[in-house]
Amino acid sequence: MYILGVSCYYHDAAAALLHDGALVAAAEEERFSRVKHDYGFPKNAIRFCLNQAGIEGRDLDYVVFFEKPFRKFDRILMTALQTYPQSWKVFRESMISWMIDKLWVGGTLQTELGVRKEQVLFCEHHLSHAASAYLCSPFDEAAILTVDGVGEWVTATYGVGRGNDIRLLKQIEFPHSIGLLYSAFTAFLGFEVNEGEYKVMGMAPYGVPRYVDKVWKLVQQNRDGSFSLDMDYFCFHHSTDQTYNRKFVALFGEPRPRKLQFFTKETGFPKYFGEPPGNYSELCHLNQHYADVAASIQRVTEELLLNLANHLYRETGLKQLCIAGGVGLNSVANARILKETPFEQLFVQPAAGDGGGALGAALWAYNTLLGKPRSFSMQHAYWGRSNSDAEISDFLRQNAIPFRYFDDDNELLDQIVDRLMQGKVIGWSQGRFEWGPRALGSRSIIADPRNPEMKDMVNAKIKFREPYRPFAPSVLAESAEKYFDLSGAQSHHPARYMLYVVPVKENQRHILPAITHVDGTGRLQTVFRDQSPRYYRLIERFGQATGVPIVLNTSFNLKGEPIVNTPANAFDTFSKSEMDNLVLENFLVEKA
């Protein structure tokens, strides 16, 4: 039985294909279209999934959409009418977009895939999230927590999964939303909503949460884990381009200009910014204010999630917790939930946001709706497209790009280790690309984590991005506890997907300056031989040569672009940056 899950028309459109309940392929549309957070109909991602299985649309048994469009339209329409005339632009734009395509997604799926109307199913948004975490987790039963911006009406749920059954016990509805609260601060701090939330998380450690009391004026949490926003500070429910209003600005000051360079007295002025401006001290003070705001919203978000998780434990008594929804990508909060609640094991699916809803919808249909036994547990994130040697060779030869080809894998790995030790930065593309927003050793830029210059070098010359952004350490799973404060590291699935931020042990921080964030933490990825054999061997060889079985890992893309997919994508990114070498499977390209 083949079941295709689809998500689209909000952000991070994606497709995921199951065969007899096991995942065959999953990918977000942006990897193919090259449009960051592409929300359009995922025609390319669907085609990839079908090709991976060697089938066509007419071979599908069911196609499942990740939410219920008419229920979502009801929320948008009701909200617009309740806030009219402020919402007239929202109403106008919603009518245009929904009447053109969003309401008719069922018909689009039938036409594009050649399936019958009765083969198209619809799953509720947060049920898709819940299924995406629980039904591919290693747990036979678990508590479930879903938190995001908004689905149809719902913004958060909690419940229980047992066997192949999911029961959502409580829900919180729009406009009260942790995700939309965090997004308001994302916009206030000068970043793009639905794209820059992780930048806020990266900025937070440079600040002090001195504005926590002010943030609590915006949101109230209750003993039962629920929460509510004071809507007097927000306008996301009636505006097309603003999430907060003047009352919000009166509380926190003027928003951060998008083009303002970020530096504080603690960071100093990065060399690659050029000469310090004449008003350096004034700008340091201003940036510190924004860092303090970031630290404050991050702290309150963590407290809201901890309150939800602790209440959920009191309700269920279960030791396992599955988390999904875009807020599930908040790695700092995840680590605090593990450390500060009675839950002993967490599972966070690597595509926790809306893209992952495609997988959840398909799993819900197979396991819960059709009642099929669970047979799939996600152990890795490598569900995307791979590139064959023939494809890579053709691209390199047709474009007259010099390369070396290695028949001996060991020789190639030795060459890469030597270059890493020389301070080189490597573009590394191998195997099937990752499912979700994190690069996990298939489409990664790697470097030596021991080099104190490497963080600034990669930020300035490779990624062209903000200097406060941290880099992740990829560490052999069995060595993780030597360097990081994560007991039983090999048993924690979120660590496989960079979904925990944990302290770097104090006696190891001087060894790992390039991946240790300003607050002494790292967003680690544990690497296993079975799931990532070639990446594992590379890190293992680097460890044998240096005594440190860790590499610096960041996503293989330039600022504002999706992670690379094809050899052409990889070479284009390599050419536009100051990366030193490019590895495409068995091919090594050096900068001319």
Side-chain angles (χ1 to χ4, degrees):
M1 177 179 288
Y2 286 101
I3 297 180
L4 179 73
V6 176
S7 67
C8 61
Y9 295 151
Y10 185 45
H11 57 85
D12 299 320
L17 180 66
L18 303 181
H19 182 215
D20 293 338
L23 185 59
V24 174
E28 293 180 339
E29 182 70 6
E30 70 167 25
R31 300 295 184 95
F32 304 94
S33 69
R34 311 309 298 157
V35 176
K36 188 77 169 173
H37 299 296
D38 194 338
Y39 61 84
F41 186 79
K43 183 177 296 187
N44 296 296
I46 289 171
R47 184 183 303 116
F48 155 70
C49 289
L50 297 178
N51 288 344
Q52 190 70 27
I55 64 172
E56 297 180 3
R58 63 174 178 268
D59 299 315
L60 293 167
D61 294 277
Y62 294 99
V63 181
V64 196
F65 194 63
F66 83 126
E67 63 183 10
K68 297 193 172 182
F70 281 91
R71 191 171 296 177
K72 189 163 192 170
F73 182 66
D74 174 64
R75 187 256 301 170
I76 292 170
L77 183 61
M78 291 296 294
T79 302
L81 292 174
Q82 288 169 0
T83 56
Y84 192 83
Q86 293 169 301
S87 61
W88 71 269
K89 285 186 179 180
V90 172
F91 181 80
R92 181 190 65 189
E93 294 188 14
S94 296
M95 291 306 102
I96 293 171
S97 64
W98 279 83
M99 290 303 176
I100 290 175
D101 50 28
K102 295 184 180 181
L103 278 178
W104 322 117
V105 65
T108 302
L109 291 168
Q110 293 173 55
T111 301
E112 292 286 340
L113 294 164
V115 294
R116 301 183 307 278
K117 182 178 180 180
E118 59 268 25
Q119 291 176 275
V120 179
L121 308 174
F122 295 86
C123 182
E124 292 183 354
H125 185 105
H126 275 262
L127 185 54
S128 292
H129 276 321
S132 79
Y134 171 67
L135 291 176
C136 62
S137 77
F139 310 135
D140 294 327
E141 64 174 359
I144 303 171
L145 177 63
T146 72
V147 188
D148 67 0
V150 60
E152 294 93 352
W153 277 98
V154 178
T155 67
T157 67
Y158 64 69
V160 174
R162 289 190 172 92
N164 58 4
D165 183 53
I166 294 174
R167 300 290 173 90
L168 297 181
L169 306 174
K170 184 163 185 172
Q171 65 187 39
I172 297 169
E173 295 189 351
F174 182 86
H176 308 293
S177 166
I178 294 176
L180 293 175
L181 170 68
Y182 204 89
S183 291
F185 281 91
T186 299
F188 175 80
L189 291 168
F191 305 121
E192 187 176 342
V193 171
N194 292 326
E195 195 274 331
E197 282 76 7
Y198 59 96
K199 298 180 183 180
V200 177
M201 191 167 60
M203 182 188 282
Y206 288 90
V208 176
R210 65 178 77 252
Y211 301 120
V212 162
D213 288 347
K214 289 187 175 183
V215 179
W216 282 120
K217 291 179 182 292
L218 313 183
V219 58
Q220 175 183 317
Q221 66 175 344
N222 306 309
R223 293 185 64 184
D224 65 353
S226 64
F227 54 86
S228 59
L229 302 186
D230 184 340
M231 297 308 297
D232 287 346
Y233 292 91
F234 304 97
C235 54
F236 57 75
H237 52 310
H238 60 72
S239 173
T240 59
D241 54 9
Q242 285 288 327
T243 56
Y244 57 87
N245 59 24
R246 294 306 303 177
K247 188 173 181 179
F248 186 105
V249 172
L251 190 59
F252 293 100
E254 289 300 315
R256 175 178 174 266
R258 289 200 170 199
K259 294 184 179 180
L260 178 65
Q261 293 175 322
F262 181 81
F263 52 86
T264 66
K265 287 184 178 179
E266 183 178 3
T267 67
F269 194 78
K271 291 182 289 186
Y272 55 87
F273 277 2
E275 290 297 318
N279 59 343
Y280 171 73
S281 295
E282 178 186 341
L283 291 176
C284 279
H285 179 75
L286 182 60
N287 276 316
Q288 190 60 58
H289 165 71
Y290 292 124
D292 293 345
V293 172
S296 301
I297 181 56
Q298 175 63 29
R299 176 67 61 83
V300 169
T301 298
E302 293 166 17
E303 294 300 326
L304 287 166
L305 292 171
L306 284 168
N307 191 35
L308 271 167
N310 276 315
H311 179 74
L312 179 54
Y313 177 78
R314 291 193 295 269
E315 286 269 303
T316 66
L318 297 172
K319 297 291 187 179
Q320 296 82 32
L321 173 64
C322 295
I323 302 175
V327 180
L329 295 171
N330 194 310
S331 308
V332 179
N334 291 341
R336 285 195 65 188
I337 289 172
L338 177 67
K339 185 177 181 180
E340 300 178 37
T341 74
F343 290 108
E344 297 175 357
Q345 286 286 332
L346 269 59
F347 182 84
V348 186
Q349 194 253 128
D354 277 7
L359 172 61
L363 288 168
W364 165 80
Y366 185 82
N367 293 128
T368 304
L369 186 65
L370 299 176
K372 303 287 188 180
R374 292 169 61 194
S375 59
F376 172 69
S377 174
M378 185 175 286
Q379 301 296 315
H380 62 78
Y382 309 114
W383 301 104
R385 183 181 184 273
S386 62
N387 301 303
S388 68
D389 276 3
E391 180 184 4
I392 297 167
S393 177
D394 287 348
F395 167 77
L396 295 174
R397 293 180 192 280
Q398 288 168 10
N399 291 277
I401 299 168
F403 65 86
R404 291 177 63 189
Y405 180 83
F406 291 83
D407 290 311
D408 186 340
D409 202 45
N410 292 327
E411 184 181 356
L412 172 62
L413 296 179
D414 286 341
Q415 290 282 335
I416 300 307
V417 167
D418 287 344
R419 285 163 170 74
L420 290 173
M421 293 172 63
Q422 293 167 23
K424 305 292 187 182
V425 180
I426 312 294
W428 175 263
S429 174
Q430 57 92 38
R432 297 176 66 175
F433 69 68
E434 300 90 342
W435 170 234
R438 312 289 194 220
L440 301 169
S442 280
R443 303 292 185 274
S444 292
I445 296 171
I446 57 175
D448 186 347
R450 305 169 305 150
N451 187 337
E453 302 293 323
M454 199 54 68
K455 180 181 176 182
D456 284 350
M457 185 185 304
V458 177
N459 265 330
K461 298 182 179 181
I462 313 298
K463 301 287 280 188
F464 307 117
R465 68 181 195 177
E466 303 87 347
Y468 59 84
R469 301 272 296 282
F471 293 108
S474 293
V475 56
L476 298 187
E478 62 270 25
S479 301
E481 291 180 62
K482 177 180 177 181
Y483 298 93
F484 301 96
D485 187 10
L486 180 61
S487 179
Q490 294 187 67
S491 68
H492 290 289
H493 278 73
R496 302 179 183 210
Y497 310 127
M498 292 186 193
L499 290 172
Y500 284 152
V501 169
V502 299
V504 181
K505 289 190 173 178
E506 285 195 34
N507 63 348
Q508 303 293 344
R509 292 176 188 174
H510 69 286
I511 298 172
L512 301 168
I515 58 84
T516 301
H517 204 20
V518 64
D519 59 351
T521 63
R523 191 183 68 196
L524 82 162
Q525 175 202 0
T526 50
V527 181
F528 292 78
R529 188 188 300 272
D530 291 346
Q531 281 76 46
S532 313
R534 197 179 214 192
Y535 195 44
Y536 182 98
R537 292 199 307 275
L538 172 67
I539 301 170
E540 183 180 45
R541 282 176 177 269
F542 185 78
Q544 291 166 352
T546 65
V548 180
I550 301 172
V551 296
L552 178 154
N553 174 16
T554 188
S555 56
F556 196 159
N557 66 306
L558 301 180
K559 181 181 178 182
E561 296 183 358
I563 298 174
V564 301
N565 175 2
T566 65
N569 300 153
F571 185 78
D572 183 62
T573 301
F574 171 70
S575 301
K576 290 177 179 176
S577 73
E578 295 188 33
M579 267 184 276
D580 300 288
N581 298 106
L582 171 63
V583 180
L584 299 168
E585 298 296 342
N586 298 312
F587 298 81
L588 175 63
V589 179
E590 303 201 50
K591 192 76 80 176

